[in-house]
Amino acid sequence: MSKIESVLTDKAPKPLPQFSQAIKYNGLVYCSGNIGLDPATFVAVEGTVKDRTRQALKNLEAVLEASGSSKRNVLKVNIFITTMDDFATMNEAYDEFFSFEPKPQISGVPHGLDLFDLRSPAQATSPTAANPPASTRPPPLSLPARDPAASTFSHLFATGKAYLTFYKTGFKQIYTNTRLVWSLGSASGIPPDTPAPAGQPAEPPTLRPAATTRSTELLKRRWLHDVRRLPLFALMFVICGEFTPLVVLALPGVVPLTCRIPRQTEKLRRATEARRRASSARIQGKTHRTGASGGPVPSRAEVTAHVARSLNLISPLWDRLPLPDGLVSLLASRRVRAHVAYLDRDGHLLSQAGGVPALEDDEVALACEDRGLPVVDRSAAALRESLGRWAALASGPDGVGGNAGGPWSPAAVARRETLVVSLLAAQKWPLERQELEALASKIEW
């Protein structure tokens, strides 16, 4: 059996008594984690995330060399980062260090705790777990101000250049998100439970899945939305160039989220809310059956069709066709059920991450859109209040975990999904708990 050997070098930060800088076993070197500490002072180096990443990698390289290995033999790297907003900056230092091929396998985890921050873990982790990285949202668009002394051509040229920069940044963010999603496959490697026989290579490290948070779930959801639209949008961008902003207003469905200009976002929101009002009026204008508790009750087909239209889960072109609600419901049922399940899970993850107070203002608006709440011409405070009320109602009177069978028992999930559908189908907002319960008792789902 191979001997276990400890590695120690003064070219890397001295380890605490509880662990070694690295362990050599059966031909492999297992390195402990490293941060951007100066080995001489045991103090974090000054500078940016990139500077600290460089120092951490330099420390690891010193440990590898002390063990008789080198960075060219690295098989796997685990990265713990306080916020995925710093992922691209960290990557710059990482790519400098691993500038050769083949590169090691990488796993990244949004850890949420800054080792150089004196806040409590709860304060540090909640916003990180609740908000996906900023790279999942459109970058800022800085249009040049009109200079009276400049010619019209110069102004249009500068404006076109600003739009090109915006779209290129959006493309880069999709690439960054792709790297992030790929890195979420596993959280850490641990040594195999059974040592390999002498003279034979050790088995690959066992992988443990990364923890799921609202941040990681929305990262994957928005990334999938964008990569599906990327090929067609990239082709349109190549053909149209600086005229792309004019074209995207007519073809909003092909634009990735990271490439939506503010004007397009505003137009989409207004169109969606107008469509929701029209769908509500359509339901109210129909004669429904009467429920056991009295009052009109829309059918399941009407509810499904209304939710699909009001959340833009189906194309607006469907509204121009004389399709009965039964057919619309049949065609859109899968999307509606998937969205309802997503809202239920998102509410649970948001509750775990600190609730609505942990969300950034931009994320509050996006969460309201997902839930069919009005967003246009409303203040951030009003949106936050509406989302908080919606989340409280959707979780049920006893909260997400109030069901005796646990929060994810079939009965608990079915109960919450019925509440979510009732909120989506409601013809008024805000709702009181009693009104929601009465509506949920009538709706078939």
Side-chain angles (χ1 to χ4, degrees):
M1 181 178 293
S2 298
K3 180 182 178 181
I4 297 177
E5 300 178 53
S6 176
V7 178
L8 180 63
T9 175
D10 58 5
K11 294 182 180 180
K14 183 179 179 181
L16 297 176
Q18 291 79 14
F19 62 91
S20 301
Q21 288 177 333
I23 290 293
K24 293 174 62 177
Y25 175 72
N26 204 23
L28 291 177
V29 181
Y30 297 93
C31 294
S32 295
N34 247 291
I35 55 178
L37 296 180
D38 185 332
T41 63
F42 210 68
V43 174
V45 297
E46 296 293 333
T48 64
V49 170
K50 185 175 181 179
D51 297 318
R52 289 180 177 177
T53 303
R54 281 174 174 160
Q55 184 62 47
L57 292 170
K58 182 179 179 181
N59 294 340
L60 285 170
E61 184 175 27
V63 173
L64 287 171
E65 291 177 349
S67 71
S69 185
S70 74
K71 64 181 181 181
R72 289 188 172 272
N73 296 326
V74 174
L75 300 177
K76 186 176 190 297
V77 178
N78 299 315
I79 297 173
F80 293 84
I81 191 166
T82 58
T83 169
M84 288 190 286
D85 290 347
D86 293 330
F87 189 82
T89 305
M90 179 277 300
N91 255 344
E92 293 176 6
Y94 181 90
D95 289 338
E96 289 177 2
F97 187 78
F98 291 106
S99 58
F100 48 84
E101 296 291 343
K103 297 184 185 296
Q105 192 265 334
I106 184 173
S107 297
V109 181
H111 192 262
L113 177 61
D114 190 341
L115 298 177
F116 310 105
D117 192 340
L118 298 180
R119 296 176 299 174
S120 69
Q123 289 174 314
T125 57
S126 292
T128 303
N131 298 286
S135 57
T136 62
R137 302 188 296 270
L141 174 61
S142 300
L143 296 177
R146 183 64 186 265
D147 184 358
S151 65
T152 301
F153 175 80
S154 298
H155 176 69
L156 292 177
F157 180 81
T159 301
K161 187 176 180 181
Y163 276 116
L164 288 177
T165 300
F166 171 83
Y167 286 124
K168 288 178 181 178
T169 305
F171 286 135
K172 290 179 181 178
Q173 290 184 187
I174 295 176
Y175 171 74
T176 297
N177 294 337
T178 301
R179 294 286 300 271
L180 283 170
V181 169
W182 287 352
S183 73
L184 291 175
S186 60
S188 62
I190 58 177
D193 297 329
T194 305
Q200 296 186 16
E203 297 178 5
T206 304
L207 299 182
R208 183 174 59 208
T212 297
T213 64
R214 184 176 189 271
S215 174
T216 57
E217 287 290 288
L218 283 180
L219 166 65
K220 291 184 284 188
R221 181 181 177 87
R222 294 178 187 174
W223 168 79
L224 186 61
H225 174 280
D226 286 352
V227 295
R228 286 174 173 171
R229 288 157 178 78
L230 184 59
L232 183 57
F233 180 73
L235 177 62
M236 184 175 71
F237 179 72
V238 170
I239 295 174
C240 300
E242 60 269 23
F243 295 103
T244 302
L246 302 177
V247 179
V248 296
L249 294 177
L251 299 171
V254 303
V255 183
L257 294 174
T258 61
C259 296
R260 285 185 180 174
I261 59 177
R263 184 180 171 190
Q264 181 187 19
T265 300
E266 180 74 8
K267 182 179 179 180
L268 281 172
R269 286 175 173 173
R270 291 188 180 278
T272 299
E273 293 187 13
R275 190 182 184 195
R276 187 178 304 128
R277 290 191 295 269
S279 181
S280 296
R282 178 174 178 169
I283 286 186
Q284 290 175 343
K286 290 188 175 184
T287 302
H288 304 293
R289 64 182 177 83
T290 301
S293 57
V297 182
S299 66
R300 175 182 292 186
E302 291 170 338
V303 169
T304 303
H306 169 66
V307 172
R309 293 188 184 102
S310 62
L311 295 180
N312 259 352
L313 300 180
I314 56 176
S315 170
L317 295 176
W318 289 35
D319 298 350
R320 302 180 184 180
L321 302 175
L323 300 178
D325 287 336
L327 180 58
V328 174
S329 172
L330 179 64
L331 297 175
S333 176
R334 186 175 179 180
R335 295 182 188 178
V336 171
R337 287 194 172 276
H339 193 80
V340 169
Y342 152 69
L343 291 180
D344 179 42
R345 182 169 177 79
D346 186 63
H348 177 68
L349 293 174
L350 178 58
S351 176
Q352 285 185 327
V356 176
L359 292 179
E360 300 169 358
D361 286 346
D362 287 343
E363 287 300 325
V364 170
L366 291 171
C368 286
E369 282 187 68
D370 283 342
R371 289 157 175 79
L373 296 173
V375 174
V376 176
D377 298 330
R378 301 191 69 203
S379 67
L383 292 179
R384 199 173 287 273
E385 190 276 334
S386 290
L387 182 60
R389 180 188 290 266
W390 202 99
L393 291 172
S395 64
D398 301 320
V400 173
N403 190 279
W408 301 110
S409 66
V413 172
R415 169 65 175 159
R416 291 197 307 272
E417 288 190 357
T418 300
L419 292 176
V420 168
V421 172
S422 301
L423 284 166
L424 295 174
Q427 303 301 307
K428 57 168 286 190
W429 180 261
L431 279 177
E432 297 298 331
R433 169 69 62 185
Q434 297 86 342
E435 295 174 305
L436 177 62
E437 294 291 345
L439 182 59
S441 67
K442 300 175 184 178
I443 285 182
E444 296 179 1
W445 185 253

